Amino acid sequence: MVLEGTARALLRRLAAEQAEARLPSVVAAIVRDGEIAWFGARGRVGGEPPTRDTQYRIGSITKTFVAVVVMRLRDEGRLDLLDPLDKHVPGTPLGDVTVAQLLSHSGGLTAESPGQWWERTPGVPVADLIAALGPESSRHRPGRRYHYSNLGFALLGELVARKRSAPWDEVVREEILEPLGMRDTTPRPRAPHATGYAVHPWADTLLPEPENDHGAMAPAGQMWSTAADLARWAAFIGGDTGEVLRPATVAEMREPAVVDDGDTWTRGYGLGLQLARHTGPGGPRRLAGHTGSMPGFLATVWADPADGTAVLWMANTTSGVRNLDTSLLDILAEHEPPLPAEWSPSPVDEDLLALTGPWYWGPTPYVLRVLPQRGLSLTPVSGQGRASRFTARPDGTWLGLDGYYAGETLRVVRSPGGVTHLDLNTFIFTREPYDPAAPVPGGVDPDGWR
């Protein structure tokens, strides 16, 4: 739980948002280490304050469930992210777009489905949606840019249904929601649930918004959930995946695939997850999660895997909430700044200890350090340049985890006299600048330094 002063400050911010944005009701929560550390609610649902178990519509957060099933199919070998859509859902005019491009909204598809705006109208069967697609359904060359597409996730929902031979929402329930204990996340509302409203812009009156089964478009935004269930989902996004998906796969989903703003990105998209960078009192954060909106509802869930913190909120209004999520994270960081992990010594094998210290790529000095589980870190002494972490492999080599050398192989080359050099994907690192005894590509001037 958060401290009493922190709880008061969080509730004050939530109360201000509810009053100033004129929200019929709103709930919010801070999640730490997989548990709700603070919950707040303002407004009324059916004449009573909403609770952790009150359902709200979560809109496009639905997409994250669909994406997880797609990644499960990938991990099972049932599909490849580079597969064209036509391999799994043949017969659409968008068949050359890849699964990865659909997940990351980089396939160039139009944002919405043909016909009337799907979010306020009853849905149509998948066959009717596909039959209505045409050349105008593609707006950009696949891979060219980020362009958010609800249509793309409708097609991914159909891909899931065909690969599992069951409706997409049943697959989500059986493979994700039930194993994680998220039994109050459903495609249609159950009591108690909030009613979606539009708030008049110039008067304090409400207009009920429609709620429908959106048929073929449902995978883009159909689901309802509660603060308690979304807290579990926030922990999942942060890496507490249970038996549903490998943590490494969720980490892959959190990697930026595209960005949607200018030269220095603050918002982007991974594989089915929205990404954000935010700097507040606690320093920079890299957040993963999703926002959601449907007529009458807004919702957001963000997780910060670096410190095990997450934030979520849901409101029953068509528009009006601004920056509530990051404001709550900032209040938490200001009142309860996280403590650095306690350092303790750990044993290191002699062979690794001998590798530590300075190495040179040509004349450029690097330093090699040992990480836990026989990992290595190779970074420029200056702090500027190509730095990467490496994980040990059974064959005695190391695999790059990040930076320029992600996916590349680091080999320690030995002679009878000991280690002679490091070979990192043809880059030769030596103990002395341009060591003439090492196989430096192109050789070393025989007259040496002068």
Side-chain angles (χ1 to χ4, degrees):
M1 302 297 291
V2 301
L3 301 175
E4 183 178 351
T6 309
R8 181 66 179 179
L10 292 168
L11 183 59
R12 172 69 178 80
R13 178 64 182 84
L14 183 65
E17 189 71 30
Q18 189 270 338
E20 294 167 10
R22 298 184 302 143
L23 308 178
S25 73
V26 59
V27 296
I30 293 290
V31 181
R32 275 200 304 216
D33 300 323
E35 302 291 337
I36 294 180
W38 171 82
F39 171 80
R42 300 290 288 182
R44 295 291 185 271
V45 171
E48 299 292 334
T51 71
R52 301 182 186 198
D53 299 319
T54 303
Q55 269 195 336
Y56 289 78
R57 201 164 192 186
I58 58 173
S60 288
I61 298 174
T62 303
K63 294 179 173 72
T64 63
F65 304 136
V66 175
V68 166
V69 177
V70 173
M71 297 305 288
R72 282 173 58 90
L73 289 165
R74 192 286 304 270
D75 285 356
E76 294 168 11
R78 301 285 304 278
L79 59 79
D80 191 286
L81 296 184
L82 297 181
D83 287 345
L85 175 65
D86 205 52
K87 182 174 180 179
H88 306 287
V89 184
T92 79
L94 307 168
D96 59 337
V97 176
T98 69
V99 174
Q101 289 170 338
L102 292 174
L103 285 170
S104 61
H105 297 282
S106 60
L109 275 63
T110 183
E112 311 298 347
S113 57
Q116 289 186 312
W117 185 32
W118 67 275
E119 292 186 16
R120 297 190 93 252
T121 54
V124 300
V126 170
D128 292 356
L129 173 65
I130 292 177
L133 301 179
E136 70 283 353
S137 300
S138 180
R139 299 298 188 187
H140 308 282
R141 170 177 54 79
R144 179 186 176 193
R145 57 172 295 162
Y146 170 83
H147 185 68
Y148 194 88
S149 176
N150 287 302
L151 174 61
F153 267 79
L155 295 173
L156 284 174
E158 178 61 11
L159 180 152
V160 165
R162 295 191 186 191
K163 300 302 287 187
R164 293 300 200 213
S165 300
W168 72 273
D169 57 310
E170 290 185 13
V171 178
V172 166
R173 178 178 57 81
E174 293 176 5
E175 298 190 15
I176 300 175
L177 303 178
E178 288 287 344
L180 294 179
M182 297 173 59
R183 295 178 179 85
D184 291 318
T185 301
T186 58
R188 301 306 294 275
R190 61 95 182 109
H193 69 83
T195 298
Y197 291 111
V199 179
H200 195 285
W202 315 122
D204 292 334
T205 57
L206 303 177
L207 180 72
E209 291 274 26
E211 188 276 331
N212 297 290
D213 181 341
H214 294 291
M217 290 300 295
Q222 183 72 44
M223 301 297 271
W224 294 68
S225 192
T226 66
D229 273 14
L230 270 195
R232 179 64 187 94
W233 193 237
F236 177 94
I237 294 170
D240 180 8
T241 60
E243 301 297 323
V244 171
L245 203 60
R246 295 184 301 116
T249 299
V250 178
E252 181 184 358
M253 295 175 70
R254 296 194 303 257
E255 295 173 359
V258 291
V259 297
D260 68 348
D261 53 9
D263 296 334
T264 303
W265 74 274
T266 57
R267 298 277 172 155
Y269 216 92
L271 296 174
L273 291 176
Q274 285 181 332
L275 309 173
R277 297 197 300 181
H278 171 70
T279 299
R285 290 184 181 272
R286 295 191 66 156
L287 304 173
H290 219 287
T291 59
S293 67
M294 292 293 284
F297 292 95
L298 297 171
T300 293
V301 58
W302 289 120
D304 183 351
D307 67 359
T309 300
V311 63
L312 64 94
W313 61 265
M314 297 178 288
N316 58 331
T317 185
T318 298
S319 62
V321 181
R322 301 179 66 180
N323 302 323
L324 176 60
D325 38 79
T326 51
S327 295
L328 295 176
L329 285 176
D330 288 349
I331 291 170
L332 179 68
E334 184 175 2
H335 285 74
E336 300 182 24
L339 299 177
E342 193 171 66
W343 178 87
S344 62
S346 59
V348 176
D349 293 342
E350 290 283 342
D351 62 327
L352 289 186
L353 196 58
L355 295 177
T356 61
W359 290 87
Y360 296 87
W361 178 49
T364 306
Y366 278 68
V367 63
L368 188 143
R369 296 178 174 88
V370 178
L371 302 176
Q373 286 82 50
R374 292 183 61 83
L376 299 175
S377 168
L378 187 63
T379 59
V381 170
S382 68
Q384 302 293 320
R386 299 167 177 174
S388 290
R389 295 174 301 129
F390 299 84
T391 185
R393 295 197 288 196
D395 64 357
T397 64
W398 281 262
L399 179 69
L401 295 177
D402 49 21
Y404 185 82
Y405 300 112
E408 307 291 359
T409 297
L410 171 66
R411 293 179 174 85
V412 177
V413 182
R414 294 177 169 86
S415 71
V419 174
T420 61
H421 61 279
L422 308 178
D423 186 332
L424 179 49
N425 192 33
T426 74
F427 290 177
I428 302 300
F429 290 78
T430 58
R431 282 297 197 184
E432 299 293 337
Y434 276 133
D435 183 354
V440 175
V444 176
D445 191 306
D447 293 333
W449 295 94
R450 57 193 181 273

